[in-house]
Amino acid sequence: MGGNLDTIRCGIGADLLSLDGGILLFEENHGLGMVDRQLTQLMRSGLLNGLRGVAVGQITGFEDDRSNGWTVA
């Protein structure tokens, strides 16, 4: 299952997603702070429990000096 990270995050509490045993594919275009917040919220919600793997698509917003060398990895 996958898509835009913010769209996946919006599924929390909506009983629309089950990632148990699955692979999460995501991409995002809002930079480091947004990616960190969204992944943290997904982890704390328990939605990522049982996840078998993660595939990361295109992540934009790390190209400028504000990222201070940080990457999604």
Side-chain angles (χ1 to χ4, degrees):
M1 168 173 252
N4 179 276
L5 189 57
D6 189 50
T7 303
I8 296 166
R9 184 196 54 82
C10 288
I12 294 172
D15 291 332
L16 299 175
L17 302 172
S18 175
L19 298 175
D20 189 28
I23 297 172
L24 173 65
L25 165 65
F26 71 88
E27 59 186 12
E28 184 56 69
N29 61 358
H30 288 108
L32 177 63
M34 185 65 77
V35 170
D36 180 60
R37 281 188 293 277
Q38 292 166 341
L39 287 174
T40 299
Q41 188 174 8
L42 286 168
M43 288 187 304
R44 289 182 177 174
S45 76
L47 186 67
L48 302 182
N49 294 346
L51 195 65
R52 291 248 168 149
V54 177
V56 181
Q58 183 176 9
I59 304 291
T60 59
F62 292 91
E63 299 83 11
D64 59 30
D65 292 334
R66 292 178 291 166
S67 67
N68 293 321
W70 285 83
T71 67
V72 172

